């Protein structure tokens, strides 16, 4: 019986492994469908939402149909988010190579790090939490990144380390996993954070019950 359970777990891992590769391919296809500049945001949103519902709700609907549905779901907002992120990182990177004063360089590096911390979770916020406008989404993403900074640091350490090893040993795997693995891992961390948000009200209710009993 135990061996059967182990086989089922191995099978689930293999299915998840191939699904990430498939999601990476769909991300690339749908990004190109929007000519890159109009497709990257919606494609990232779609894959993030699929991964979140897969991890959080254990849902595994038809992949292609779901990605196509999510791709159209928040098209304008996800395009706008991608443009804002591209603009911010472009400005910061240009400044890194052009600013000569040390204090401006330090400030620019700090802003660059903060942009990474906030930008990491922005699509997680869009798919998991209910915020209507870009300002609320950006603020929530930044708060999530700073509030769970240790998760964000571990996340990027694993990502950089994994892609460095793959590029050194099996460069072809970079193409197979590509952005799909990055989105999956970011969504995995986002799911852990969201679960913490969901558990807090339950803990508060339990504390209230204990106090009511003591009184």
């Amino acid at each position: 019986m135990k061996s059967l359970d182990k086989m089922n777990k191995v099978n689930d891992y293999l299915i998840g492994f191939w699904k990430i590769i498939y999601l990476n391919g769909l991300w690339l296809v749908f990004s190109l469908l929007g000519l890159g500049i109009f497709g990257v945001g919606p494609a990232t949103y779609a894959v993030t939402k699929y991964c979140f519902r897969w991890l959080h709700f254990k849902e595994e609907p038809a992949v292609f149909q779901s990605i196509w549905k999510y791709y159209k779901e928040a098209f304008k907002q996800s395009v706008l988010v991608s443009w804002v992120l591209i603009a911010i990182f472009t400005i910061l990177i240009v400044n890194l190579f052009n600013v000569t004063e040390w204090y401006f360089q330090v400030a620019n590096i700090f802003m660059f790090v903060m942009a990474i911390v906030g930008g990491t979770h922005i699509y997680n916020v869009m798919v998991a939490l209910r915020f209507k406008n870009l300002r609320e989404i950006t603020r929530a993403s930044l708060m999530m990144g700073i509030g769970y900074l240790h998760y964000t640091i571990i996340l990027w350490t694993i990502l950089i380390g994994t892609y460095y090893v793959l590029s050194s040993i099996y460069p072809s795997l970079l193409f197979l996993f590509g952005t799909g693995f990055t989105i999956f891992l970011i969504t995995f961390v986002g799911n852990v954070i969201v679960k913490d948000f969901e558990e807090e009200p339950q803990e508060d209710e339990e504390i209230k019950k204990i106090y009511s009993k003591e009184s």
Side-chain angles (χ1 to χ4, degrees):
M1 197 69 180
K2 290 182 178 179
S3 59
L4 183 61
D5 291 337
K6 289 181 179 179
M7 288 179 63
N8 288 331
K9 287 183 178 179
V10 171
N11 185 56
D12 290 339
Y13 286 132
L14 289 174
I15 291 173
F17 175 84
W18 289 110
K19 186 174 287 187
I20 292 172
I21 295 175
Y22 185 32
L23 288 170
N24 176 61
L26 290 178
W27 179 87
L28 182 60
V29 169
F30 280 97
S31 294
L32 294 175
L33 182 65
L35 304 176
I37 192 70
F38 294 102
V40 171
T44 303
Y45 173 88
V47 175
T48 302
K49 183 160 185 178
Y50 186 92
C51 289
F52 178 77
R53 299 195 71 84
W54 175 21
L55 293 168
H56 194 75
F57 300 108
K58 310 302 179 185
E59 295 179 357
E60 296 187 51
V63 181
F64 184 86
Q65 290 87 338
S66 299
I67 295 298
W68 176 237
K69 175 186 174 183
Y70 300 149
Y71 184 81
K72 298 180 292 182
E73 185 176 84
F75 188 86
K76 291 182 180 179
Q77 190 177 59
S78 55
V79 168
L80 180 60
V81 167
S82 67
W83 285 359
V84 170
L85 288 175
I86 291 171
I88 290 172
F89 282 106
T90 299
I91 293 169
L92 291 173
I93 290 171
V94 170
N95 286 343
L96 279 174
F97 290 99
N98 289 278
V99 173
T100 56
E101 292 81 0
W102 68 268
Y103 43 88
F104 283 132
Q105 289 179 338
V106 171
N108 200 75
I109 291 171
F110 175 77
M111 292 299 296
F112 188 80
V113 171
M114 293 303 293
I116 292 175
V117 170
T120 297
H121 300 286
I122 198 162
Y123 284 99
N124 279 331
V125 170
M126 289 178 67
V127 303
L129 305 174
R130 296 180 181 179
F131 293 104
K132 295 181 179 180
N133 57 60
L134 182 58
R135 182 180 178 182
E136 292 178 348
I137 291 171
T138 304
R139 184 171 59 184
S141 177
L142 189 59
M143 290 176 64
M144 183 180 288
I146 294 174
Y148 292 84
L149 186 60
H150 54 301
Y151 286 165
T152 307
I153 293 172
I154 293 171
L155 163 66
W156 281 107
T157 302
I158 293 173
L159 278 174
I160 293 170
T162 300
Y163 282 107
Y164 176 77
V165 171
L166 289 179
S167 64
S168 303
I169 303 174
Y170 299 109
S172 58
L173 290 179
L174 289 175
F175 178 77
L176 284 177
F177 287 103
T179 308
F181 177 71
T182 301
I183 295 175
F184 175 81
L185 196 58
I186 289 173
T187 310
F188 179 85
V189 173
N191 178 52
V192 173
I193 295 172
V194 169
K195 282 184 177 179
D196 285 349
F197 287 161
E198 292 176 344
E199 289 172 2
E200 284 179 1
Q202 297 176 5
E203 292 174 356
D204 291 342
E205 289 297 325
E206 290 176 2
I207 291 171
K208 288 179 182 178
K209 289 179 181 178
I210 292 172
Y211 276 120
S212 62
K213 288 179 181 178
E214 290 177 351
S215 59

